[in-house]
Amino acid sequence: MSERVAIYPGTFDPATNGHLDIIHRGALVVDKLVVGVAVNAGKGPLFSLEERVAIMKAEVAAMADVAARIEVRPFETLLMKFAHDAGAKIILRGLRAVSDFEYEFQMAGM
């Protein structure tokens, strides 16, 4: 059986308890979870890319039961290229409101 690899992309600016909850729960259902910290200068990030990656690495390290399954890395490519490069067949996404579901449903249709 092949390894189940997922990616969880986002800007994580800043990382929230919701992000961390999704990361923890996601890591419990896959063999490897790659947290992709996106460049996205269009959002005008509060923290630099390097700071956001460091914050996410520190938060993941604190998840003792699943930390070994999680890798944090920056990316600035198209999401599908990042998923391919990571060997992922799953993209993990979070939903906050009904409008998020509608947006994600349209994205999944593509």
XYZ file of all heavy atoms in Angstrom:
835
model
N 0.847 -1.175 0.000
C 0.000 0.000 0.000
C 0.895 1.241 0.000
O 1.875 1.316 0.722
C -0.903 -0.021 1.225
C -1.827 1.163 1.329
S -2.735 1.143 2.875
C -4.362 0.973 2.258
N 0.551 2.215 -0.816
C 1.371 3.423 -0.896
C 1.109 4.356 0.285
O 0.055 4.325 0.911
C 1.105 4.150 -2.216
O -0.232 4.595 -2.262
N 2.088 5.175 0.549
C 2.011 6.130 1.648
C 0.966 7.202 1.333
O 0.925 7.738 0.240
C 3.390 6.769 1.847
C 3.477 7.689 3.022
C 4.868 8.262 3.212
O 5.464 8.723 2.216
O 5.339 8.263 4.346
N 0.110 7.509 2.300
C -0.884 8.576 2.144
C -0.240 9.895 2.539
O 0.036 10.136 3.712
C -2.109 8.316 3.014
C -2.939 7.126 2.575
C -3.996 6.809 3.579
N -3.310 6.549 4.852
C -3.922 6.337 6.002
N -5.220 6.371 6.081
N -3.239 6.099 7.100
N -0.008 10.750 1.524
C 0.621 12.047 1.746
C -0.390 13.135 1.442
O -1.051 13.112 0.396
C 1.875 12.230 0.854
C 2.505 13.598 1.077
C 2.875 11.117 1.112
N -0.516 14.097 2.347
C -1.421 15.231 2.158
C -0.634 16.523 2.302
O 0.414 16.562 2.949
C -2.545 15.201 3.195
N -1.157 17.575 1.679
C -0.596 18.907 1.901
C -1.684 19.776 2.512
O -2.876 19.591 2.252
C -0.045 19.562 0.611
C -1.137 19.723 -0.441
C 1.135 18.800 0.078
C -0.724 20.597 -1.612
N -1.264 20.700 3.341
C -2.157 21.702 3.925
C -1.538 23.059 3.603
O -0.616 23.506 4.283
C -2.305 21.483 5.423
C -3.222 22.479 6.107
C -4.442 22.857 5.544
C -2.876 23.044 7.321
C -5.270 23.763 6.175
C -3.699 23.946 7.959
C -4.903 24.303 7.385
O -5.723 25.207 8.012
N -2.024 23.710 2.536
C -1.440 24.982 2.128
C -2.117 26.171 2.806
O -3.295 26.127 3.161
C -1.727 25.003 0.620
C -3.045 24.295 0.509
C -3.021 23.228 1.576
N -1.361 27.238 2.973
C -1.920 28.470 3.516
C -0.829 29.505 3.707
O 0.356 29.201 3.599
N -1.258 30.732 3.997
C -0.271 31.764 4.288
C 0.106 31.743 5.774
O 1.191 32.142 6.144
C -0.784 33.169 3.897
O -2.054 33.373 4.497
C -0.875 33.314 2.400
N -0.828 31.301 6.614
C -0.583 31.182 8.057
C -0.011 32.478 8.623
O 1.032 32.501 9.262
C 0.323 29.981 8.365
C -0.196 28.698 7.783
C 0.452 28.091 6.722
C -1.354 28.130 8.273
C -0.041 26.920 6.164
C -1.856 26.955 7.724
C -1.190 26.348 6.668
N -0.725 33.557 8.370
C -0.271 34.884 8.774
C -1.356 35.596 9.575
O -2.103 36.385 9.000
C 0.125 35.697 7.548
C 0.778 37.015 7.917
O 1.680 37.005 8.779
O 0.391 38.043 7.360
N -1.452 35.351 10.837
C -0.650 34.437 11.645
C -1.290 33.053 11.704
O -2.437 32.862 11.280
C -0.690 35.090 13.025
C -2.041 35.731 13.081
C -2.312 36.204 11.665
N -0.571 32.115 12.270
C -1.116 30.780 12.518
C -2.156 30.893 13.623
O -1.937 31.596 14.611
C -0.001 29.827 12.945
N -3.291 30.245 13.440
C -4.366 30.311 14.428
C -4.569 28.948 15.076
O -4.055 27.938 14.598
C -5.689 30.742 13.772
O -6.110 29.706 12.854
C -5.553 32.062 13.036
N -5.343 28.937 16.150
C -5.679 27.662 16.784
C -6.454 26.776 15.810
O -6.325 25.554 15.856
C -6.487 27.886 18.059
C -5.637 28.436 19.185
O -4.429 28.242 19.213
N -6.266 29.131 20.115
N -7.242 27.382 14.950
C -7.961 26.608 13.932
C -7.011 25.915 12.977
O -7.189 24.739 12.648
N -5.987 26.638 12.511
C -4.970 26.022 11.649
C -4.306 24.843 12.354
O -4.130 23.767 11.780
C -3.869 27.024 11.279
C -4.301 28.138 10.403
N -3.967 29.445 10.666
C -5.028 28.162 9.259
C -4.461 30.222 9.719
N -5.115 29.466 8.856
N -3.914 25.067 13.599
C -3.196 24.035 14.355
C -4.076 22.816 14.602
O -3.600 21.673 14.560
C -2.655 24.613 15.654
C -1.694 25.793 15.480
C -1.282 26.364 16.830
C -0.483 25.406 14.657
N -5.366 23.040 14.824
C -6.300 21.935 15.016
C -6.410 21.097 13.742
O -6.376 19.866 13.792
C -7.673 22.477 15.427
C -8.678 21.366 15.668
O -8.397 20.467 16.486
O -9.751 21.392 15.020
N -6.519 21.757 12.600
C -6.599 21.043 11.324
C -5.316 20.260 11.069
O -5.350 19.114 10.614
C -6.909 22.016 10.174
C -8.339 22.528 10.303
C -6.686 21.361 8.813
C -8.680 23.683 9.388
N -4.178 20.863 11.353
C -2.893 20.184 11.167
C -2.829 18.936 12.040
O -2.481 17.843 11.575
C -1.715 21.132 11.465
C -1.615 22.201 10.376
C -0.401 20.358 11.601
C -0.693 23.359 10.715
N -3.191 19.070 13.306
C -3.127 17.937 14.226
C -4.081 16.825 13.785
O -3.687 15.652 13.692
C -3.439 18.380 15.658
C -3.224 17.297 16.660
N -4.233 16.466 17.073
C -2.102 16.885 17.295
C -3.752 15.602 17.937
N -2.458 15.832 18.092
N -5.323 17.178 13.506
C -6.295 16.156 13.103
C -5.937 15.541 11.759
O -6.112 14.339 11.545
C -7.709 16.743 13.083
C -8.209 17.036 14.497
C -9.671 17.402 14.542
N -9.927 18.627 13.813
C -11.060 18.867 13.154
N -12.014 17.972 13.095
N -11.228 20.012 12.534
N -5.405 16.353 10.837
C -4.999 15.840 9.536
C -3.864 14.846 9.651
O -3.840 13.821 8.965
N -2.918 15.133 10.518
C -1.764 14.248 10.699
C -2.165 12.891 11.274
O -1.442 11.915 11.109
C -0.716 14.913 11.588
N -3.312 12.838 11.922
C -3.789 11.575 12.487
C -4.365 10.634 11.429
O -4.482 9.436 11.673
C -4.853 11.843 13.563
C -4.365 12.524 14.834
C -5.547 12.906 15.720
C -3.381 11.638 15.591
N -4.725 11.161 10.261
C -5.379 10.324 9.240
C -4.518 10.075 8.002
O -4.952 9.377 7.094
C -6.758 10.889 8.829
C -7.721 10.880 9.997
C -6.640 12.269 8.239
N -3.332 10.666 7.951
C -2.425 10.416 6.827
C -1.075 9.942 7.369
O -0.797 10.083 8.562
C -2.229 11.672 5.932
C -3.541 12.088 5.286
C -1.616 12.823 6.697
N -0.261 9.415 6.467
C 1.069 8.974 6.878
C 2.045 10.142 6.966
O 2.957 10.136 7.776
C 1.598 7.936 5.882
C 0.695 6.714 5.821
O 0.353 6.171 6.880
O 0.318 6.325 4.701
N 1.839 11.140 6.098
C 2.704 12.320 6.082
C 1.859 13.537 5.712
O 1.066 13.490 4.779
C 3.827 12.136 5.063
C 4.766 13.316 4.963
C 5.859 13.062 3.938
C 6.777 14.255 3.800
N 7.788 14.026 2.757
N 2.048 14.615 6.443
C 1.361 15.869 6.159
C 2.414 16.944 5.911
O 3.270 17.183 6.767
C 0.461 16.283 7.323
C -0.255 17.624 7.181
C -1.198 17.620 5.986
C -1.013 17.965 8.454
N 2.343 17.562 4.746
C 3.259 18.647 4.405
C 2.482 19.952 4.555
O 1.487 20.176 3.861
C 3.805 18.510 2.971
C 4.729 19.679 2.645
C 4.525 17.184 2.796
N 2.917 20.787 5.476
C 2.301 22.100 5.673
C 3.048 23.066 4.757
O 4.239 23.312 4.942
C 2.393 22.548 7.146
C 1.805 23.943 7.316
C 1.691 21.547 8.048
N 2.341 23.574 3.756
C 2.946 24.482 2.795
C 2.653 25.930 3.147
O 1.502 26.356 3.129
N 3.681 26.657 3.493
C 3.533 28.073 3.837
C 3.738 28.874 2.543
O 4.830 28.907 1.990
C 4.536 28.496 4.931
C 4.323 29.958 5.305
C 4.407 27.599 6.159
N 2.656 29.495 2.090
C 2.660 30.173 0.800
C 3.267 31.563 0.855
O 3.106 32.289 1.827
C 1.231 30.275 0.266
N 3.924 31.963 -0.229
C 4.478 33.324 -0.371
C 3.325 34.327 -0.534
O 2.842 34.541 -0.108
C 5.445 33.400 -1.561
C 5.821 34.839 -1.841
C 6.694 32.626 -1.247
N 2.552 34.505 -1.325
C 1.364 35.365 -1.461
C 1.560 36.797 -0.961
O 0.944 37.256 0.005
C 0.133 34.753 -0.805
C -1.133 35.339 -1.392
O -1.103 36.348 -2.088
N -2.244 34.704 -1.140
N 2.403 37.530 -1.658
C 2.666 38.935 -1.317
C 1.427 39.803 -1.517
O 1.319 40.880 -0.941
C 3.814 39.473 -2.163
N 0.488 39.349 -2.323
C -0.737 40.102 -2.578
C -1.577 40.312 -1.339
O -2.357 41.252 -1.263
N -1.432 39.451 -0.335
C -2.177 39.594 0.910
C -1.517 40.571 1.870
O -2.091 40.909 2.886
C -2.337 38.235 1.599
C -3.383 37.344 0.971
C -3.621 36.136 1.855
C -4.804 35.334 1.371
N -5.062 34.163 2.225
N -0.296 41.009 1.559
C 0.419 41.922 2.459
C 0.633 41.299 3.816
O 0.083 41.761 4.816
N 1.446 40.240 3.903
C 1.600 39.502 5.154
C 2.199 40.337 6.286
O 3.016 41.214 6.057
C 2.522 38.343 4.781
C 3.224 38.791 3.557
C 2.300 39.729 2.846
N 1.755 40.035 7.483
C 2.266 40.679 8.688
C 3.691 40.190 8.991
O 4.557 40.967 9.340
C 1.336 40.369 9.867
C 1.701 40.912 11.236
C 1.691 42.428 11.227
C 0.738 40.389 12.285
N 3.902 38.874 8.823
C 5.204 38.263 9.083
C 5.866 37.884 7.766
O 5.187 37.580 6.789
C 5.053 36.999 9.947
C 4.504 37.270 11.322
C 3.178 36.984 11.617
C 5.303 37.797 12.314
C 2.663 37.221 12.882
C 4.805 38.046 13.591
C 3.469 37.762 13.866
N 7.186 37.860 7.759
C 7.913 37.433 6.561
C 7.716 35.932 6.369
O 7.304 35.215 7.290
C 9.408 37.735 6.711
O 9.998 36.846 7.649
N 8.031 35.458 5.185
C 7.918 34.030 4.899
C 8.770 33.215 5.871
O 8.307 32.206 6.423
C 8.334 33.745 3.453
C 8.300 32.280 3.027
C 6.882 31.736 3.085
C 8.892 32.116 1.652
N 9.980 33.653 6.104
C 10.879 32.932 6.997
C 10.317 32.869 8.424
O 10.407 31.843 9.094
C 12.274 33.581 7.017
C 13.009 33.493 5.697
C 12.532 34.509 4.641
O 11.864 35.505 5.001
O 12.810 34.277 3.458
N 9.722 33.979 8.875
C 9.127 34.006 10.215
C 7.933 33.055 10.292
O 7.775 32.327 11.281
C 8.676 35.417 10.576
C 9.818 36.375 10.833
C 9.351 37.818 10.974
O 8.470 38.261 10.196
O 9.887 38.503 11.877
N 7.085 33.058 9.267
C 5.910 32.179 9.262
C 6.309 30.711 9.249
O 5.709 29.895 9.949
C 4.985 32.510 8.093
C 4.296 33.861 8.284
C 3.366 34.217 7.175
N 4.123 34.698 6.015
C 3.930 34.317 4.767
N 3.006 33.450 4.460
N 4.673 34.812 3.794
N 7.336 30.364 8.479
C 7.826 28.980 8.458
C 8.363 28.606 9.842
O 8.059 27.531 10.371
C 8.894 28.782 7.363
C 9.603 27.446 7.525
C 8.270 28.897 5.976
N 9.142 29.491 10.459
C 9.707 29.220 11.786
C 8.601 29.055 12.831
O 8.680 28.160 13.688
C 10.662 30.338 12.192
N 7.579 29.895 12.771
C 6.455 29.796 13.715
C 5.756 28.455 13.551
O 5.465 27.763 14.537
C 5.470 30.973 13.511
C 6.106 32.284 13.977
C 4.150 30.706 14.235
C 5.354 33.540 13.533
N 5.482 28.068 12.292
C 4.791 26.799 12.049
C 5.645 25.617 12.498
O 5.120 24.659 13.070
C 4.408 26.661 10.576
C 3.336 27.633 10.123
S 1.844 27.629 11.145
C 1.179 26.028 10.760
N 6.948 25.671 12.271
C 7.827 24.584 12.715
C 7.802 24.456 14.234
O 7.773 23.344 14.775
C 9.252 24.792 12.210
C 9.413 24.463 10.739
C 10.849 24.619 10.281
C 10.984 24.204 8.818
N 12.367 24.286 8.340
N 7.811 25.577 14.930
C 7.762 25.555 16.395
C 6.433 24.988 16.887
O 6.399 24.197 17.838
C 7.988 26.957 16.955
N 5.341 25.386 16.254
C 4.020 24.886 16.651
C 3.897 23.385 16.393
O 3.345 22.652 17.213
C 2.910 25.645 15.914
C 2.786 27.106 16.308
C 2.292 27.306 17.735
O 1.796 26.353 18.366
O 2.397 28.439 18.229
N 4.407 22.934 15.256
C 4.356 21.511 14.927
C 5.209 20.703 15.902
O 4.817 19.620 16.338
C 4.797 21.273 13.462
C 5.126 19.820 13.201
C 3.714 21.755 12.499
N 6.369 21.222 16.271
C 7.253 20.516 17.214
C 6.556 20.274 18.548
O 6.842 19.282 19.234
C 8.544 21.301 17.406
N 5.633 21.147 18.914
C 4.903 21.013 20.172
C 3.828 19.924 20.110
O 3.288 19.527 21.141
C 4.268 22.349 20.560
N 3.530 19.422 18.929
C 2.538 18.350 18.752
C 3.262 17.009 18.843
O 3.441 16.303 17.854
C 1.839 18.484 17.403
C 1.062 19.733 17.225
S 0.317 19.777 15.568
C -0.235 21.466 15.512
N 3.673 16.647 20.039
C 4.549 15.498 20.245
C 4.027 14.201 19.637
O 4.807 13.412 19.106
C 4.795 15.309 21.736
N 2.719 13.980 19.671
C 2.181 12.707 19.203
C 2.183 12.558 17.680
O 2.136 11.446 17.164
C 0.768 12.477 19.747
C -0.219 13.565 19.346
O 0.203 14.725 19.162
O -1.419 13.253 19.211
N 2.259 13.678 16.935
C 2.204 13.600 15.466
C 3.329 14.357 14.767
O 3.414 14.330 13.543
C 0.839 14.119 14.931
C -0.292 13.200 15.337
C 0.586 15.553 15.359
N 4.191 15.010 15.507
C 5.221 15.872 14.908
C 6.090 15.133 13.897
O 6.501 15.716 12.883
C 6.085 16.505 16.000
N 6.361 13.856 14.121
C 7.225 13.097 13.213
C 6.589 12.909 11.835
O 7.295 12.675 10.862
C 7.554 11.739 13.818
N 5.276 13.034 11.747
C 4.562 12.862 10.470
C 4.425 14.162 9.686
O 3.903 14.159 8.585
C 3.148 12.355 10.723
C 3.043 11.024 11.330
C 1.579 10.690 11.470
N 1.406 9.398 12.087
C 0.244 8.835 12.284
N -0.848 9.440 11.908
N 0.172 7.659 12.847
N 4.834 15.286 10.270
C 4.564 16.596 9.673
C 5.857 17.257 9.218
O 6.852 17.271 9.942
C 3.841 17.510 10.685
C 2.552 16.850 11.177
C 3.536 18.870 10.055
C 1.904 17.564 12.353
N 5.801 17.830 8.037
C 6.916 18.604 7.484
C 6.379 19.985 7.129
O 5.290 20.101 6.562
C 7.446 17.913 6.231
C 8.539 18.666 5.523
C 8.952 18.005 4.218
O 8.564 16.852 3.961
O 9.658 18.674 3.444
N 7.115 21.013 7.471
C 6.731 22.386 7.130
C 7.718 22.899 6.097
O 8.928 22.810 6.298
C 6.752 23.307 8.377
C 6.405 24.737 7.998
C 5.811 22.788 9.450
N 7.172 23.431 4.981
C 8.072 23.996 3.968
C 7.387 25.151 3.246
O 6.172 25.148 3.079
C 8.568 22.939 3.005
C 7.537 22.295 2.144
C 8.187 21.495 1.010
N 8.248 20.092 1.297
C 8.250 19.150 0.372
N 8.218 19.450 -0.896
N 8.295 17.888 0.698
N 8.181 26.127 2.815
C 7.615 27.254 2.066
C 7.361 26.850 0.614
O 7.962 25.898 0.118
C 8.717 28.308 2.139
C 9.976 27.515 2.252
C 9.619 26.281 3.042
N 6.442 27.571 -0.039
C 6.261 27.361 -1.475
C 5.746 28.624 -2.135
O 5.082 29.444 -1.513
C 5.361 26.156 -1.769
C 3.879 26.401 -1.628
C 3.092 26.612 -2.748
C 3.270 26.378 -0.385
C 1.725 26.809 -2.627
C 1.905 26.576 -0.252
C 1.130 26.792 -1.380
N 6.096 28.773 -3.414
C 5.620 29.916 -4.177
C 5.202 29.509 -5.583
O 5.065 30.335 -6.466
C 6.665 31.030 -4.217
C 8.000 30.660 -4.798
C 8.979 31.823 -4.780
O 8.577 32.957 -5.090
O 10.143 31.584 -4.429
N 4.983 28.210 -5.773
C 4.546 27.697 -7.070
C 3.032 27.556 -7.074
O 2.372 27.820 -6.070
C 5.177 26.319 -7.326
O 4.725 25.415 -6.307
C 6.694 26.384 -7.305
N 2.501 27.098 -8.175
C 1.088 26.744 -8.206
C 0.847 25.594 -7.240
O 1.718 24.732 -7.049
C 0.664 26.326 -9.612
C 0.632 27.432 -10.661
C 0.328 26.837 -12.040
C -0.402 28.481 -10.300
N -0.325 25.567 -6.651
C -0.636 24.555 -5.649
C -0.472 23.138 -6.202
O 0.065 22.258 -5.526
C -2.059 24.760 -5.122
C -2.525 23.789 -4.053
C -1.591 23.811 -2.849
C -3.945 24.120 -3.643
N -0.915 22.902 -7.421
C -0.811 21.557 -7.981
C 0.647 21.135 -8.165
O 0.986 19.973 -7.981
C -1.579 21.457 -9.304
C -3.083 21.560 -9.126
S -3.761 20.468 -7.838
C -3.361 18.865 -8.470
N 1.517 22.068 -8.532
C 2.941 21.737 -8.650
C 3.513 21.409 -7.279
O 4.281 20.452 -7.132
C 3.714 22.883 -9.294
C 5.222 22.615 -9.310
C 5.946 23.259 -10.423
C 7.425 23.045 -10.431
N 7.979 21.821 -9.927
N 3.132 22.184 -6.277
C 3.600 21.926 -4.917
C 3.138 20.546 -4.455
O 3.918 19.781 -3.879
C 3.105 23.018 -3.963
C 3.531 22.825 -2.541
C 4.866 22.905 -2.180
C 2.601 22.556 -1.557
C 5.263 22.718 -0.855
C 2.985 22.378 -0.240
C 4.316 22.452 0.108
N 1.866 20.209 -4.727
C 1.336 18.893 -4.346
C 2.102 17.782 -5.057
O 2.481 16.778 -4.440
C -0.156 18.816 -4.674
N 2.350 17.957 -6.338
C 3.088 16.957 -7.109
C 4.499 16.781 -6.555
O 4.962 15.653 -6.355
C 3.136 17.356 -8.585
C 3.858 16.384 -9.445
N 5.206 16.502 -9.719
C 3.431 15.264 -10.068
C 5.571 15.493 -10.489
N 4.514 14.720 -10.713
N 5.188 17.896 -6.303
C 6.554 17.843 -5.780
C 6.615 17.175 -4.401
O 7.606 16.525 -4.065
C 7.167 19.239 -5.704
C 7.409 19.857 -7.078
O 7.356 19.126 -8.095
O 7.651 21.088 -7.132
N 5.550 17.334 -3.614
C 5.501 16.734 -2.281
C 5.057 15.274 -2.330
O 5.107 14.574 -1.319
C 4.552 17.536 -1.387
N 4.603 14.831 -3.492
C 4.100 13.464 -3.619
C 2.728 13.289 -3.004
O 2.322 12.176 -2.657
N 1.978 14.376 -2.891
C 0.672 14.346 -2.239
C -0.447 14.021 -3.219
O -0.448 14.478 -4.356
C 0.396 15.689 -1.574
N -1.394 13.251 -2.727
C -2.609 12.950 -3.481
C -3.828 13.600 -2.818
O -4.929 13.523 -3.309
C -2.824 11.441 -3.559
C -1.685 10.676 -4.163
C -1.895 10.482 -5.635
C -0.895 9.500 -6.202
N 0.161 10.103 -6.943
N -3.583 14.231 -1.664
C -4.654 14.835 -0.869
C -4.291 16.287 -0.562
O -3.156 16.575 -0.188
C -4.834 14.074 0.471
C -5.133 12.595 0.221
C -5.919 14.721 1.329
C -4.928 11.725 1.442
N -5.281 17.177 -0.710
C -5.117 18.571 -0.297
C -6.093 18.801 0.848
O -7.300 18.642 0.689
C -5.387 19.560 -1.448
C -4.404 19.321 -2.596
C -5.294 21.003 -0.938
C -4.665 20.172 -3.828
N -5.574 19.150 1.991
C -6.369 19.393 3.188
C -6.754 20.863 3.225
O -5.907 21.729 3.046
C -5.523 19.015 4.409
C -6.165 18.951 5.769
C -7.247 17.884 5.781
C -5.109 18.618 6.805
N -8.030 21.137 3.454
C -8.514 22.519 3.508
C -9.421 22.682 4.723
O -10.058 21.733 5.170
C -9.303 22.862 2.235
C -8.517 22.697 0.951
C -7.460 23.729 0.766
N -8.104 25.015 0.539
C -7.480 26.161 0.504
N -6.193 26.213 0.689
N -8.126 27.272 0.280
N -9.501 23.906 5.229
C -10.374 24.205 6.352
C -11.540 25.057 5.896
O -11.440 25.792 4.919
N -12.654 24.940 6.612
C -13.848 25.729 6.305
C -14.264 26.508 7.539
O -14.358 25.952 8.627
C -15.005 24.809 5.883
C -14.769 23.930 4.663
C -15.921 22.963 4.491
C -14.603 24.781 3.426
N -14.534 27.797 7.344
C -14.982 28.630 8.458
C -16.462 28.969 8.351
O -17.135 29.127 9.342
C -14.174 29.924 8.513
C -12.715 29.698 8.808
C -11.947 30.963 8.623
N -11.873 31.229 7.185
C -10.919 31.889 6.582
N -9.947 32.397 7.280
N -10.918 32.069 5.286
N -16.957 29.119 7.139
C -18.348 29.536 6.944
C -18.909 28.848 5.710
O -18.186 28.220 4.941
C -18.410 31.053 6.769
N -20.206 29.006 5.506
C -20.854 28.420 4.336
C -20.226 28.953 3.054
O -20.030 28.209 2.092
C -22.375 28.695 4.362
C -23.042 28.242 3.071
C -23.009 28.002 5.557
N -19.848 30.208 3.044
C -19.230 30.776 1.846
C -17.902 30.086 1.533
O -17.544 29.914 0.367
C -19.022 32.285 2.002
O -18.176 32.555 3.106
N -17.172 29.654 2.561
C -15.941 28.891 2.341
C -16.252 27.568 1.654
O -15.534 27.138 0.757
C -15.216 28.609 3.664
C -14.525 29.817 4.249
O -14.424 30.852 3.564
O -14.082 29.725 5.414
N -17.341 26.917 2.086
C -17.709 25.649 1.471
C -18.018 25.839 -0.006
O -17.572 25.062 -0.846
C -18.911 25.011 2.174
C -19.399 23.773 1.479
C -18.734 22.566 1.664
C -20.471 23.818 0.615
C -19.145 21.423 1.004
C -20.892 22.683 -0.055
C -20.232 21.480 0.144
N -18.775 26.870 -0.319
C -19.130 27.126 -1.717
C -17.894 27.376 -2.563
O -17.766 26.855 -3.671
C -20.099 28.306 -1.806
C -21.450 27.984 -1.205
C -22.342 29.201 -1.024
O -21.898 30.332 -1.307
O -23.481 29.014 -0.570
N -16.947 28.140 -2.056
C -15.698 28.423 -2.765
C -14.890 27.136 -2.965
O -14.431 26.836 -4.058
C -14.864 29.465 -2.003
C -13.496 29.673 -2.571
C -13.307 30.446 -3.719
C -12.378 29.103 -1.980
C -12.033 30.633 -4.250
C -11.104 29.290 -2.511
C -10.955 30.059 -3.647
O -9.706 30.239 -4.177
N -14.721 26.380 -1.888
C -13.937 25.144 -1.959
C -14.604 24.111 -2.867
O -13.927 23.362 -3.565
C -13.710 24.550 -0.559
C -12.848 25.405 0.326
C -11.416 25.596 -0.171
O -10.924 24.767 -0.944
O -10.804 26.581 0.237
N -15.937 24.076 -2.882
C -16.660 23.157 -3.759
C -16.377 23.496 -5.221
O -16.161 22.597 -6.040
C -18.167 23.222 -3.447
C -18.970 22.183 -4.166
C -18.924 20.866 -3.764
C -19.781 22.530 -5.221
C -19.673 19.897 -4.431
C -20.527 21.577 -5.885
C -20.484 20.254 -5.489
N -16.352 24.774 -5.541
C -16.032 25.187 -6.912
C -14.589 24.834 -7.252
O -14.299 24.366 -8.359
C -16.232 26.695 -7.083
C -17.687 27.104 -7.068
C -17.848 28.620 -7.106
O -16.877 29.367 -7.210
N -19.092 29.071 -7.030
N -13.660 25.034 -6.316
C -12.258 24.693 -6.547
C -12.097 23.186 -6.773
O -11.332 22.764 -7.642
C -11.390 25.141 -5.380
C -11.324 26.643 -5.202
S -10.518 27.471 -6.564
C -8.836 27.066 -6.209
N -12.794 22.387 -5.992
C -12.705 20.932 -6.137
C -13.228 20.484 -7.487
O -12.737 19.510 -8.054
C -13.469 20.244 -5.008
N -14.200 21.208 -8.018
C -14.758 20.881 -9.331
C -13.788 21.109 -10.458
O -13.929 20.536 -11.547
N -12.798 21.942 -10.229
C -11.802 22.216 -11.273
C -10.854 21.068 -11.353
O -10.165 20.810 -12.232
C -11.043 23.504 -10.973
C -11.857 24.726 -11.137
S -10.747 26.124 -10.909
C -11.915 27.413 -10.693
